[in-house]
Amino acid sequence: MPSERMSDEKRSVQFSRRKFLAGSGATVAASLAGCFGGGAGSSGSDSVKIGFVLPFSGTYSFLGESIVNGVKLRLDEQLDGEIDGRSVEYVRKDTGADPATGASITQEFLQSENVDFIVGPVSSAVAGAMKPEIASSGSAIWLNANAGNYKLVQDNCTKYHFRTSFNTWQTSAPLASYINDNIADNVVLSYANYTFGQQSKNLFREEFENVGGTVVDEIGAPLGTSDYSSFLQEIENSGADAVFSFFAGSDAVNYIKQFSSFGLNGKMTQTGSGFLLSADTLQAQGTAALGMYSLLHYTPTKQTDRNQAFVDAYSGQYDTTPNVYACQGYDSALAAELAVTEAGGTETDPMVSSLAGAELDSPRGYFKFKSSTHDPVMDMDIRQVVEADGGVQNEVVETLTQVEGPTWGCDL
Amino acid sequence: MAIEGVAKTVLLGVEMGMTLVLVTVGLTLIFGMMDVINFAHGSLYMLGAYFGLTVVTVTGNWWAALLVAPLLVGLLGGLIEYFSIRPLYGRNPLYHILLTFGFAILLHGLVTEIWGGQVQNIATPALLEGSVDLALFSYPLFRLFLLGVSIAVAAVLWAAMRRSDFGIVMRASAHDSEMVDALGTDVKRVFTAVFVLGSILAGLAGVLLGTSRAVDPGMAASIIIQAFAIVVIGGLGSYRGAVVGAFVVGMLNAFGPTFAPQFTDALLYLLMAAVLLVKPAGLFGNPEGA
Amino acid sequence: MSVRDLVGRHFSARQQSDVLSGRVRVGLFVAGVVAILFAPFAQAVHPFWMDLATHMFIFALFALSLDFVFGYAGLLSFGHAAMFGAGGYAAALLIQNATASALVVLPVAVLVGAAIAALIGWLSVSARGIYFAMLTLAFAQLFYTVAFNDIPAMLLGLEAVTNGDNGLVGITSLTLFGVDTGSLMAYYYLSLAMLGGMLALVTRLANSPFGRVMQAIRENEDRVAFIGYDVDRYKIVAFTISGGMAGLAGGLWVPFNSTATTAMLHWTTSGELIVMTLLGGMGTLWGPIAGAFLVVFLEDSLSAIGNWEIYLGIVYIVIVIFAPRGLAGIFRTVRSNPDPRVLLSKARSALATYREKVFS
């Protein structure tokens, strides 16, 4: 029931906040000690410091909190707050999804807090602003837990960047052959007109045309549109048999609900990048989303032992099922764990070498950091929305194994 | 575009327009009466949706939400007017917009704290699901219901303002509140009543649109700018202006995507600026009412 | 002769009705000295304090620009973000493509801000009060949409100019006489100098005949027109000056954060600015500076705790109702009535007025 879930979420937020506040006293003391004691380099040789550059207020706050939950599940609950004998410290600051704030927080974390790892951000725009700082500093490893813009790797790729999330190619293009083979050979594209949406539809289009399909039309709507009626008219008028879309958050909810209410669900098959139909939007989309396909690297209902263990642990800790953001957080923690353990310390360059080409035991399935780009090579799930007790959920229809994607000229 | 397409788009425009009327008519009446620009109007709309969500969760009945949520919002609006706007009457009217802006911030924070930041939605009631066949095309039943409710509310309001005692007092107070006060009516009570009425309308819009659209804390900010644009275009304080303005913007939203999908936002602001430049008081506004 | 007399003589206001009374000037002078000495202190203890302080200085400058037109000339602008953002983007594009010299970038940012303000002002000036505010809002949102969709790139056939929702990143810091101002301390002093300079300039302006006319316009526009002044022209000039200052703030903000993004142009930035100005105390010039310091500090320190919007919202609402002259007003009342009993009775009478207005 929605209210239970609502209070679940709230409880999980309160829980993590309480835990953080308990820990923050120690953190503040530690950082102050660092200041007054003329703090040498990294925060002491026997601790690992992780800085969260994430949104904790506004539209994306739920995503930010989910990522933190994922990290803490691994490091606090499963590893008792230690990696290889070193205690783990956290600092967190709210980006509010503003790139300028993200850049300044990153500066602070690198120069003043001396973090070893930076986990975040949620928004690709913030990531773009963070990148120059992290690249020139070289004192911390960046575990990119959600920003998928492929240009982060294409333009001046930096070895300190490790993506524990995905890139926009992976969440769009691989669906092309599946659609062409199983659903329709002609599609119309609809998307939110900003970088993420544009990239997704462009990359999908390229791949779809490569495999012999036809793109009938492209319809872009301004980001934040709440009423898609006219755009849906255009989509219907295109006469295509299937739609590939990119929308996220409240846009995704509005789009899908209205798509269904106009009866388009019966006329065309709706598909899209996973964020269109993900755990955080499905509850609101409800039965309007039934039968729709999406592509994402993490599905909570995936029936593998590894995932089940993760889902059980997460639900036990936070009273709610994990989502893709939590998984990305969890994998970031796995990466930090691996880096420190293998490198025998928190020196950045040895950690970079340990992580490049390394595999993680991720709940999502296969996961490996590609040596040349530090982007993930991972399994992608094609899911379909089905009924489940009390609502709807994604069911994995097919898993594409070890999906890589282009290197865009990056060779680290 | 084929004739069915055009007809459907026209209906879309009318429906979107009338829906916007619900949101904006309260805003314009409040300004007309009290010179108060209610920046928190979008927040009241948002609270209508969230109260509706809670009522549905608790009672399982959408119709109960439709009844209760707007009343709750009205109550809240009344409290806000009573305790924070009343003390400001007589001051420079710009203070009202400053105050209500503060409420917009506060309410946004409260909603995020109480209901959480993730996106939600009020499930469409079973009775109103599905589409209706309208000869040339089919149209969602719920949207027709929305259209019907908006037209009914607008009509009742219009009649009430013209005919009822309260309506007459309201219009008189908008025109010259001092005189009305001198004649013995407690103008302050009238103001509160108008604010409550405007809040109820905003709350009603919230429940209705919270069903056909996403519910999240950002919905206040996105509706308030549109609402401002509409009342400015129509004329601050003019009921007729709000209706016409909403209608124009509804049509813009309906036909815009066909011709210039990327610029539908920009078109709205251009229109707003254009009207303000040519006739600052808006299409039906009273030039004295600045 | 005490130090205070000595200092006071240099900073005494010429007339009683001058903006920034003698006492306030002394106070500001002291504050300035503290600020100058603060940097080396912070460098030794916790360098990142300078980062926060610079953030405060830049927004204080931004708030000052709004106070000049609003608190002072009575023109509420809901679109100051447009000039702030325009100055910022201009600085970003210059630094990326031409030069990072502060002597070029900052004046250009000022000019761009002023030009945008002149345009908006000229178009909007015939509207009064709330309509003027709405117009500035509309224009600012237009700029936002233009930047978000990167319309300049579309028009010029380039790949990216404003770079849409990703903005311009990796903007290097300004150089002043060949010296890189990228270090925390250098940028601190640069921003402080800009703030101080602008404050002095604005005070001079405010006390000049031009400033007097502006104050008169705020009090009673029609009368000033009847006397024979071209009110519209004065308004446009004031708005332009204000826009130039906002542009300067933007030009400082961008290299500081190494990014220029559409958030700078969004109406919520204008809104945040209004909160700062009001909390500080409109029309006092130094009040909004204090307001900016307060809001920046609160947002930073509360962001770890959680929903700062609730706390800020409540504080703001209470101040609007009970202390409309903001911090400056409270400070002034306390200063002129040092006796706590008098203050208490003032507070009580304020509450009584409130009760009367609400419950009667």
Side-chain angles (χ1 to χ4, degrees), chain A residues 231-305:
Chain A
F231 298 100
L232 290 166
Q233 269 268 78
E234 299 282 303
I235 291 171
E236 196 181 348
N237 291 343
S238 73
D241 293 317
V243 191
F244 174 82
S245 306
F246 178 86
F247 294 101
S250 52
D251 287 357
V253 174
N254 279 320
Y255 175 80
I256 296 291
K257 256 223 125 166
Q258 289 159 23
F259 185 90
S260 172
S261 81
F262 276 98
L264 288 177
N265 222 349
K267 299 182 190 162
M268 331 166 93
T269 312
Q270 174 72 52
T271 73
S273 147
F275 299 99
L276 182 70
L277 299 156
S278 74
D280 55 305
T281 60
L282 277 181
Q283 185 207 332
Q285 289 160 333
T287 51
L290 281 174
M292 297 183 178
Y293 294 89
S294 62
L295 174 74
L296 199 61
H297 46 289
Y298 180 73
T299 313
T301 57
K302 189 163 175 179
Q303 298 299 320
T304 60
D305 291 337

Side-chain angles (χ1 to χ4, degrees), chain B residues 37 39 82-84 86-87 89 91 98 101-102 106 108-109 113 188 225 236 263 269 272 276-277 280 290, chain C residues 76 78 123 130-131 134-135 141 151 154 267 271 274 278 307 309-310 316 320-321 324 354 357-360:
Chain B
I37 292 269
F39 221 108
Y82 198 75
F83 286 107
S84 54
R86 250 199 206 190
Y89 292 135
R91 261 201 238 171
L98 294 175
F101 184 73
L106 175 63
H108 181 264
E113 191 64 32
K188 278 200 217 164
I225 296 294
L236 279 163
F263 304 117
Y269 303 125
M272 184 179 169
L276 274 172
L277 288 172
Chain C
L76 174 59
F78 246 106
L123 288 171
I130 205 66
Y131 299 96
M134 291 287 122
L135 256 177
Q141 274 306 97
I151 303 212
M154 263 187 247
W267 64 268
I274 290 179
L278 197 87
N307 229 317
E309 281 184 312
I310 300 181
Y316 176 79
V320 171
I321 299 177
Y354 175 81
K357 285 203 159 184
V358 171
F359 295 115
S360 72

Side-chain angles (χ1 to χ4, degrees), chain A residues 1-3 6 9-10 17 58-59 61-62 193 220-223 226-227 229-231 233-234 236-237 249-250 253-254 257-258 261-263 280-281 283-284, chain B residues 5 8-9 12 16 53 57 108 112-115 117-124 131 139-140 143 211-214 216 253-255 257-258 261-262 264-265:
Chain A
M1 287 244 57
S3 76
M6 254 190 276
E9 238 91 53
K10 186 163 178 247
R17 200 174 288 153
T59 332
S61 55
F62 175 62
N193 201 359
L223 181 69
S226 47
D227 196 329
S229 330
S230 296
F231 298 100
Q233 269 268 78
E234 299 282 303
E236 196 181 348
N237 291 343
S250 52
V253 174
N254 279 320
K257 256 223 125 166
Q258 289 159 23
S261 81
F262 276 98
D280 55 305
T281 60
Q283 185 207 332
Chain B
K8 189 169 180 183
T9 311
L12 271 173
M16 285 202 261
L53 200 61
T57 308
H108 181 264
T112 314
E113 191 64 32
I114 299 175
W115 280 278
Q118 72 273 31
V119 66
Q120 298 178 71
N121 175 256
I122 306 175
T124 315
S131 310
Y139 207 79
R143 294 183 87 111
T211 311
S212 61
R213 297 185 190 177
D216 74 318
N253 285 339
F255 283 95
T258 322
Q262 216 157 0
T264 22
D265 302 353

Side-chain angles (χ1 to χ4, degrees), chain A residues 16-240:
Chain A
S16 56
R17 200 174 288 153
R18 229 178 294 142
K19 269 221 133 181
F20 167 69
L21 283 174
S24 70
T27 314
V28 168
S31 53
L32 272 179
C35 290
F36 287 106
S42 170
S43 48
S45 54
D46 54 356
S47 65
V48 178
K49 201 163 186 184
I50 299 184
F52 291 116
V53 182
L54 291 167
F56 296 113
S57 66
T59 332
Y60 298 125
S61 55
F62 175 62
L63 280 58
E65 292 290 354
S66 300
I67 292 175
V68 173
N69 286 350
V71 172
K72 292 196 172 182
L73 177 69
R74 180 64 188 166
L75 297 180
D76 288 351
E77 297 317 309
Q78 298 184 347
L79 295 181
D80 282 328
E82 281 192 0
I83 298 178
D84 204 29
R86 297 159 212 276
S87 64
V88 179
E89 292 168 29
Y90 306 101
V91 281
R92 61 148 56 165
K93 274 214 156 171
D94 179 15
T95 62
D98 176 30
T101 317
S104 108
I105 295 174
T106 305
Q107 251 181 349
E108 186 179 347
F109 281 2
L110 288 171
Q111 294 173 18
S112 173
E113 298 282 353
N114 295 315
V115 298
D116 301 306
F117 294 98
I118 289 188
V119 174
V122 161
S123 135
S124 284
V126 176
M130 288 165 66
K131 188 169 133 190
E133 318 271 343
I134 298 177
S136 61
S137 159
S139 63
I141 289 199
W142 182 11
L143 298 169
N144 184 346
N146 197 59
N149 189 340
Y150 73 85
K151 295 209 171 154
L152 283 172
V153 162
Q154 183 189 57
D155 309 325
N156 306 319
C157 51
T158 168
K159 63 179 176 174
Y160 302 109
H161 172 253
F162 285 90
R163 242 202 284 245
T164 51
S165 43
F166 64 95
N167 61 52
T168 36
W169 188 92
Q170 286 170 318
T171 52
S172 53
L175 195 57
S177 5
Y178 182 84
I179 294 179
N180 194 38
D181 295 338
N182 300 298
I183 299 175
D185 63 359
N186 62 90
V187 295
V188 57
L189 306 175
S190 67
Y191 60 100
N193 201 359
Y194 71 124
T195 310
F196 208 155
Q198 291 158 358
Q199 281 186 0
S200 297
K201 65 103 178 162
N202 284 335
L203 292 168
F204 176 85
R205 180 180 192 135
E206 201 181 314
E207 187 68 19
F208 196 70
E209 287 174 341
N210 260 352
V211 299
T214 329
V215 170
V216 173
D217 200 0
E218 285 186 9
I219 291 143
L223 181 69
T225 302
S226 47
D227 196 329
Y228 289 94
S229 330
S230 296
F231 298 100
L232 290 166
Q233 269 268 78
E234 299 282 303
I235 291 171
E236 196 181 348
N237 291 343
S238 73

Side-chain angles (χ1 to χ4, degrees), chain C residues 213-263:
Chain C
V213 176
M214 289 315 308
Q215 285 187 69
I217 291 177
R218 175 188 65 199
E219 298 305 324
N220 193 331
E221 194 175 318
D222 292 321
R223 194 169 283 174
V224 176
F226 292 152
I227 298 178
Y229 283 99
D230 185 348
V231 169
D232 281 357
R233 185 178 295 176
Y234 274 89
K235 283 187 185 176
I236 296 175
V237 171
F239 203 70
T240 306
I241 295 174
S242 166
M245 284 199 288
L248 177 63
L252 283 170
W253 181 245
V254 164
F256 177 60
N257 281 307
S258 70
T259 61
T261 64
T262 52

Side-chain angles (χ1 to χ4, degrees), chain B residues 171-224:
Chain B
R171 281 157 56 215
S173 309
H175 202 71
D176 191 340
S177 54
E178 280 174 13
M179 185 58 88
V180 172
D181 196 36
L183 288 173
T185 313
D186 187 351
V187 173
K188 278 200 217 164
R189 285 231 202 108
V190 178
F191 285 178
T192 308
V194 171
F195 201 87
V196 169
L197 177 65
S199 306
I200 292 178
L201 289 172
L204 179 65
V207 180
L208 291 169
L209 288 174
T211 311
S212 61
R213 297 185 190 177
V215 175
D216 74 318
M219 65 194 287
S222 55
I223 200 91
I224 195 68

